[in-house]
Amino acid sequence: MNPFFGSVFWLLVTLGVLVTFHEFGHYWVARRCGVKVLRFSVGFGKAIWKRIGRDGTEYQVAMIPLGGYVKMLDAREGDVDPALAGQEFTGKPVWQRIAIVAAGPGFNLIFTIVAFWLMFMLGKPDVAPVITAAPQSLAAKAGIRAGDRILSVDGKPVATWSDSMDTIANGMLGRDPLPVQVRGTDGTQRQLVLPLNQLPAGEDIGQYLDKLGLNLAPLPPVAATVLPGKPAEQAGMKGGDRILSINGQTVTSYQDFQRLIPQEAAKSPSLQVIVERDGKSLPLSVTARMESLEGQPTNWVIGVSPLEREQAVLRYGPLKAMGASLQTTWDSTAATFNMIGKMLTGQASTKNLSGVIGIAQVANASANMGAGWFLSFLAMVSLSLAILNLLPIPVLDGGYLLYYLIELVKGSPVSERVMMAGQYVGLVLLFTLMGLAFYNDIHRILPS
């Protein structure tokens, strides 16, 4: 699927699922508390589909898919039929109103736990954290060597590349030195410290990762598979041969091989390739061809495939998966609040905020990586929605919860004037956050 249309499609899937689940939380608890629900809407604006349920609720899907709402019978919005007074929202005890409002974020939290649980049972394909460091980078200064395997970050054991980088990225928000334990190619373990305190203030995570310079170790220049009938096989190359040089230029990684083949073949298709087999150097004359292999764009090729990276799939049984899900939800919640706190105090840049464009891009990428990755993405977005909605900002669920907590303390509802003023303040704050996130998304897309 085209990346643009794929991003739009998976964004709609993401918002459709998560918004429906969030609003269903409000709806379900409202009905259990005896409140009449007038409308259940996924999206805003003009309805593109709607029907009236047997319970009298109008269910609809609206044109703008960036949210949703549950409209309840509310005396603040007009006169209420005396026969329905017992089903009106504001007439309910304050603890029921708190439960109804908190149910949306609560259902998002439940969705997060279930999505992580399913992810751990299905498995999320990943690779082992075998790494290298770019020359002169912070990782190189810390002592990272090519082929090191990360064992733990900040005392937390890690088994995959993505888990390692998630923990490191979270540590970057505070820009404090970060302890990392690695095992070298010789089997010895070393305790290192990534000097994140040397990162400049005011940049986003992407820029920090570039300066850190930590990458997966390059694949060795080994022809794991030699394709039948292709130039490499015709020249006598065999699976397992290690490529030492091409036209006299040393090859130290498979990336070097991929760069040199088209570069040298463009000068002349006849290539002088030296390989190592059984400890001996063997010169081969290979005539490259211009063709497409395995759906890739047409280029100069000789017909070999690289070794695969060491796989690291996290897959558990139902019970262990639930424990892992709860732990991941807890860790992710702590990391999110940590980021919010550091942005509020100025320790982390607001450039790390991402909006609908960024979400769409990640949705498409994770969906293309498999069900496990997409479930992980849905879980994180659902958790973010839960936390965002609990912030004490009027117009969000957290703002209403704040009003009801004040009512519990003072014994009477907050005045309508105060609520209206809060609504305006909340709208300004919300649109400011949305505008900043949208600006960040556009800034990441456009060239520097």
Side-chain angles (χ1 to χ4, degrees):
M1 187 183 293
N2 176 280
F4 172 78
F5 291 110
S7 296
V8 172
F9 174 78
W10 289 111
L11 173 67
L12 293 177
V13 171
T14 299
L15 293 179
V17 170
L18 299 184
V19 168
T20 300
F21 212 78
H22 177 96
E23 298 304 333
F24 181 75
H26 292 310
Y27 167 86
W28 189 82
V29 175
R31 292 294 305 275
R32 296 303 173 278
C33 291
V35 175
K36 182 174 179 57
V37 178
L38 303 177
R39 181 181 299 136
F40 184 119
S41 179
V42 177
F44 299 110
K46 185 177 180 180
I48 57 177
W49 174 89
K50 63 181 177 181
R51 74 176 183 86
I52 305 296
R54 287 183 298 177
D55 56 0
T57 301
E58 181 182 80
Y59 299 90
Q60 73 171 32
V61 177
M63 291 186 66
I64 305 173
L66 301 179
Y69 62 93
V70 169
K71 180 179 176 62
M72 290 171 269
L73 186 64
D74 193 321
R76 295 168 297 185
E77 298 178 3
D79 294 334
V80 175
D81 185 337
L84 299 175
Q87 300 179 56
E88 190 268 331
F89 176 75
T90 61
K92 294 296 180 180
V94 66
W95 67 267
Q96 288 190 346
R97 282 177 275 146
I98 289 175
I100 292 168
V101 171
F107 269 54
N108 276 135
L109 182 60
I110 292 170
F111 183 95
T112 298
I113 295 170
V114 172
F116 276 137
W117 178 64
L118 290 173
M119 178 202 76
F120 281 118
M121 286 200 298
L122 288 175
K124 187 173 79 169
D126 209 331
V127 295
V130 180
I131 57 172
T132 190
Q136 307 305 314
S137 64
L138 292 180
K141 294 176 183 177
I144 296 292
R145 304 169 190 163
D148 281 347
R149 178 189 291 262
I150 302 177
L151 302 177
S152 69
V153 180
D154 200 20
K156 174 189 173 184
V158 292
T160 67
W161 169 244
S162 60
D163 278 353
S164 303
M165 295 311 296
D166 285 346
T167 309
I168 290 171
N170 186 50
M172 285 177 169
L173 295 172
R175 293 185 294 117
D176 294 322
L178 188 68
V180 175
Q181 187 178 25
V182 301
R183 183 172 66 237
T185 53
D186 60 357
T188 59
Q189 296 186 13
R190 310 191 312 279
Q191 190 72 34
L192 309 175
V193 177
L194 299 177
L196 303 185
N197 55 309
Q198 296 181 23
L199 292 168
E203 296 186 353
D204 63 28
I205 291 294
Q207 293 169 309
Y208 285 162
L209 289 172
D210 288 341
K211 289 180 170 61
L212 180 62
L214 197 62
N215 302 295
L216 285 170
L219 293 170
V222 174
T225 304
V226 178
L227 302 179
K230 299 301 180 183
E233 187 201 41
Q234 293 171 350
M237 192 178 295
K238 295 182 179 180
D241 284 353
R242 187 181 189 89
I243 302 164
L244 301 179
S245 69
I246 298 174
N247 285 355
Q249 299 191 54
T250 302
V251 177
T252 59
S253 68
Y254 197 81
Q255 286 86 333
D256 286 345
F257 164 78
Q258 290 178 307
R259 173 179 56 84
L260 287 171
I261 288 292
Q263 176 182 304
E264 294 300 308
K267 302 173 187 176
S268 171
S270 298
L271 306 174
Q272 299 304 310
V273 181
I274 297 179
V275 301
E276 181 184 279
R277 185 185 303 163
D278 299 328
K280 298 179 181 179
S281 296
L282 180 65
L284 301 172
S285 294
V286 183
T287 302
R289 295 179 194 166
M290 178 69 78
E291 60 180 274
S292 172
L293 287 179
E294 300 175 347
Q296 297 299 311
T298 301
N299 204 347
W300 290 104
V301 299
I302 64 172
V304 301
S305 298
L307 294 170
E308 290 189 1
R309 294 190 182 278
E310 181 184 342
Q311 299 299 298
V313 180
L314 297 179
R315 184 181 289 115
Y316 307 129
L319 190 60
K320 188 174 182 181
M322 179 53 70
S325 171
L326 293 171
Q327 185 62 55
T328 303
T329 301
W330 175 263
D331 291 342
S332 300
T333 302
T336 302
F337 277 112
N338 178 52
M339 183 178 73
I340 293 172
K342 290 187 182 302
M343 283 196 292
L344 289 175
T345 58
Q347 293 177 273
S349 173
T350 53
K351 293 178 182 178
N352 291 300
L353 287 173
S354 187
V356 66
I357 296 175
I359 293 172
Q361 291 174 325
V362 179
N364 185 48
S366 61
N368 289 330
M369 293 168 69
W373 282 92
F374 190 61
L375 282 168
S376 176
F377 165 76
L378 285 177
M380 288 303 303
V381 176
S382 185
L383 180 62
S384 298
L385 284 175
I387 293 172
L388 175 65
N389 272 283
L390 285 174
L391 295 178
I393 299 175
V395 309
L396 296 179
D397 293 332
Y400 290 107
L401 288 174
L402 178 62
Y403 290 147
Y404 299 146
L405 290 174
I406 292 173
E407 181 179 340
L408 274 177
V409 172
K410 67 191 288 281
S412 61
V414 175
S415 70
E416 188 172 337
R417 182 178 178 181
V418 170
M419 290 188 71
M420 288 299 296
Q423 296 285 77
Y424 288 121
V425 172
L427 284 171
V428 170
L429 287 173
L430 190 59
F431 280 113
T432 299
L433 284 173
M434 291 173 62
L436 181 58
F438 184 74
Y439 171 81
N440 289 342
D441 286 346
I442 296 298
H443 187 70
R444 293 186 190 106
I445 294 172
L446 295 177
S448 300

